[in-house]
Amino acid sequence: MATGSKSVSASAVVVPLALGQFIASYAATNMNVAISTIADDIGTSVISIQTAITLFTLTMAALMIPGSKLTDFLGRKVCFIAGLVIYGSGALLSSFAQGIGLLIVGYSLLEGIGSALLIPPIYILVTVVFEDVSARARNFGIVSGAAGLGAAAGPLLGGLITSYLGWRASFLLQVAVIVLIIVLALRIVDPPIAERPPHFDVWGAVLSAAGLFFVVFGVLQSSTYGWLKSREDFTIGGTAVIPKGGMSPVWIYVAIGVVLLAIFFLHLRRVEHAGRAPLFSLKIFRSKASNLGLVTQVLQWLVMQGAFFVTSVFLQQIRGFNAIETGLVLVPATIGILASSALAGRMSRRHSLRRLIRAGFSSTTLGLVLMLVLVREDSSVWTFTPGLLLMGIGVGVMLTASVNLVQSSSPEEAQGDISGVSRSVSNLGSSLGTALVGSVLAGAAVPGNGPFGIALIMLVCLGLIGVVTALLIPKPARR
């Protein structure tokens, strides 16, 4: 550690950070097994719950970069605890939801905002507290493993709690864990920030958040309007702007988002050239390895969240499984992530990070192929096991490796910037995974096994793109 502290102090830092990452990842997947239960209980549709799940990860993705930058002004520990408080408030509010509106406010917005504040400090603190490279890699492995474990354990824990205590109890459990994390986080010693920026780039924050929001929101609308021709009238203020059969409004939203993001990057360049502090420096994109690592992060979270979502919906809507049965079927993925995350530190000492990312994508893609080949509407539940296990192993291997690759490719003074961008693209991948898979399932003309197969084929293709991207990562420079 930077202060030469003993292992007890190291645990005091890492344990609350890992728990914070676990609970944020858990929140993104535990809802999947309770989709039908929640929809029936509050009188809404599966699509509405999917929208709430997507808006949660979308809120995180849109606000992650501004949230990361705030650590330079308020301090990492302050942002971490503030994020926990907001997150806990959202979970408490969600537990009392009687309709989709309050659920979106509590879960999608407040938990999303809280996550955007608490997640960036996790990775920044690990970087600045642990100066030793091996200690830093080991603790990155713990935190990244907690992220994968939270995502994988979400369906099982969520299923158990929903089946025996009700879905509201799952939110109350999150509140209890948040309180514990806050108590533990009070012991964290935040190293002083060498130089605080003179001002916060408000316009940069607004442009980045708005751009990401419109891109993902547009993809989300594909479940309603379709990708090419609009399935129904697109209305604004009661007026049909695009009639049924016209061009899908999805592309209008996406185009607005792309334009806003282009303006955002032009804004960053202008501010930086003027000698002022932008939301983040464009210098962080000078590393080819880091850039490709960011791409792999988008793809791995997209594939993982998409696979969990399509499997959960298939089990509940086609097989008629309840929440706990759905969670139990997903146990092999949890075991795979646990096993590979536990070995992350040892594997990183024996193999390069790029090799681990390649192996992770290959294993994940093969797992999806096995599910596509073996699983049928009336097949045994054991047909899910090989594919989910391989997918879990692959996810656990590459999550830690890609985070370590991206963070280690940037100097310490740029850790706040790269951490925010890294967490933002990861959550963007999560949002797109749920939205893309949801749009395929919602837009299916024929119900049954077919749409789920199409969704899996799409995820396999994205996994193969991940393999190719990982192959392009250059060898690290010799020291």
Side-chain angles (χ1 to χ4, degrees):
M1 292 177 67
T3 59
S5 303
K6 296 183 182 301
S7 58
V8 174
S9 297
S11 298
V13 173
V14 174
V15 169
L17 298 182
L19 283 174
Q21 179 61 82
F22 173 88
I23 203 69
S25 299
Y26 169 85
T29 59
N30 86 98
M31 291 277 283
N32 287 342
V33 297
I35 289 173
S36 299
T37 303
I38 298 175
D40 292 340
D41 189 46
I42 64 176
T44 188
S45 65
V46 169
I47 295 300
S48 295
I49 304 300
Q50 178 214 332
T51 300
I53 295 171
T54 303
L55 286 177
F56 167 71
T57 50
L58 171 57
T59 302
M60 280 197 291
L63 299 179
M64 197 67 71
I65 295 174
S68 177
K69 196 65 177 181
L70 282 175
T71 61
D72 292 336
F73 294 88
L74 304 177
R76 301 103 174 190
K77 180 178 176 179
V78 171
C79 283
F80 182 61
I81 293 177
L84 290 169
V85 172
I86 295 172
Y87 183 103
S89 301
L92 183 62
L93 190 64
S94 299
S95 68
F96 293 102
Q98 299 298 320
I100 188 65
L102 192 58
L103 186 67
I104 286 177
V105 171
Y107 171 67
S108 306
L109 298 182
L110 289 180
E111 287 195 27
I113 292 169
S115 297
L117 275 175
L118 73 90
I119 292 177
I122 294 173
Y123 293 86
I124 300 173
L125 281 168
V126 170
T127 302
V128 299
V129 170
F130 299 97
E131 291 182 347
D132 179 70
V133 176
S134 61
R136 183 184 295 175
R138 182 172 62 254
N139 288 292
F140 266 137
I142 294 173
V143 172
S144 299
L149 179 59
L156 177 59
L157 291 179
L160 288 169
I161 295 168
T162 300
S163 297
Y164 290 107
L165 300 175
W167 64 271
R168 299 179 191 277
S170 181
F171 283 106
L172 292 175
L173 176 64
Q174 291 180 55
V175 175
V177 174
I178 289 295
V179 172
L180 172 63
I181 298 172
I182 291 174
V183 173
L184 294 174
L186 294 176
R187 300 175 58 194
I188 295 175
V189 178
D190 186 3
I193 299 173
E195 184 179 354
R196 297 180 186 271
H199 73 282
F200 182 73
D201 185 5
V202 176
W203 276 112
V206 171
L207 287 169
S208 67
L212 289 169
F213 175 85
F214 275 103
V215 169
V216 181
F217 185 73
V219 175
L220 179 62
Q221 293 306 297
S222 63
S223 61
T224 301
Y225 298 103
W227 287 100
L228 300 177
K229 293 184 178 181
S230 183
R231 299 195 194 101
E232 56 184 74
D233 291 345
F234 174 65
T235 60
I236 298 179
T239 303
V241 178
I242 300 176
K244 181 179 180 180
M247 181 190 71
S248 173
V250 165
W251 301 109
I252 297 176
Y253 287 115
V254 172
I256 292 173
V258 170
V259 169
L260 287 172
L261 289 175
I263 296 172
F264 166 61
F265 280 99
L266 290 174
H267 166 81
L268 292 181
R269 187 171 64 177
R270 181 178 60 81
V271 170
E272 200 163 17
H273 283 176
R276 302 196 302 273
L279 189 64
F280 63 80
S281 174
L282 293 174
K283 294 177 182 178
I284 64 174
F285 297 118
R286 289 180 178 177
S287 168
K288 181 180 179 182
S290 178
N291 292 341
L292 291 171
L294 290 172
V295 175
T296 64
Q297 285 185 343
V298 173
L299 290 170
Q300 66 195 213
W301 281 96
L302 192 161
V303 170
M304 182 179 73
Q305 292 287 54
F308 279 136
F309 185 80
V310 70
T311 306
S312 298
V313 176
F314 176 82
L315 289 169
Q316 292 174 74
Q317 290 195 340
I318 302 300
R319 303 292 292 264
F321 284 17
N322 59 27
I324 189 171
E325 290 171 334
T326 301
L328 287 172
V329 172
L330 293 171
V331 163
T334 306
I335 294 173
I337 291 177
L338 267 175
S340 55
S341 296
L343 296 172
R346 185 181 302 176
M347 289 189 292
S348 65
R349 291 192 294 270
R350 295 182 177 181
H351 306 283
S352 66
L353 295 176
R354 64 176 192 153
R355 178 178 294 178
L356 292 176
I357 297 172
R358 294 170 182 174
F361 269 113
S362 299
S363 177
T364 300
T365 305
L366 180 58
L368 292 171
V369 170
L370 286 178
M371 289 181 63
L372 187 63
V373 172
L374 299 177
V375 175
R376 292 293 181 269
E377 190 170 345
D378 56 353
S379 62
S380 166
V381 292
W382 296 108
T383 58
F384 291 85
T385 302
L388 288 173
L389 181 62
L390 273 177
M391 187 187 77
I393 291 172
V395 167
V397 167
M398 64 185 173
L399 281 183
T400 300
S402 63
V403 169
N404 205 352
L405 174 68
V406 171
Q407 298 281 159
S408 300
S409 299
S410 298
E412 183 170 324
E413 61 270 16
Q415 285 301 311
D417 290 351
I418 194 63
S419 178
V421 173
S422 173
R423 297 304 89 207
S424 182
V425 299
S426 295
N427 285 285
L428 178 62
S430 296
S431 300
L432 290 174
T434 307
L436 287 171
V437 168
S439 69
V440 171
L441 301 184
V446 181
N449 211 39
F452 295 90
I454 294 172
L456 278 177
I457 291 172
M458 178 184 68
L459 294 174
V460 168
C461 293
L462 291 169
L464 290 173
I465 293 174
V467 173
V468 173
T469 303
L471 288 172
L472 297 175
I473 297 175
K475 291 182 178 180
R478 293 185 177 180
R479 297 182 179 181

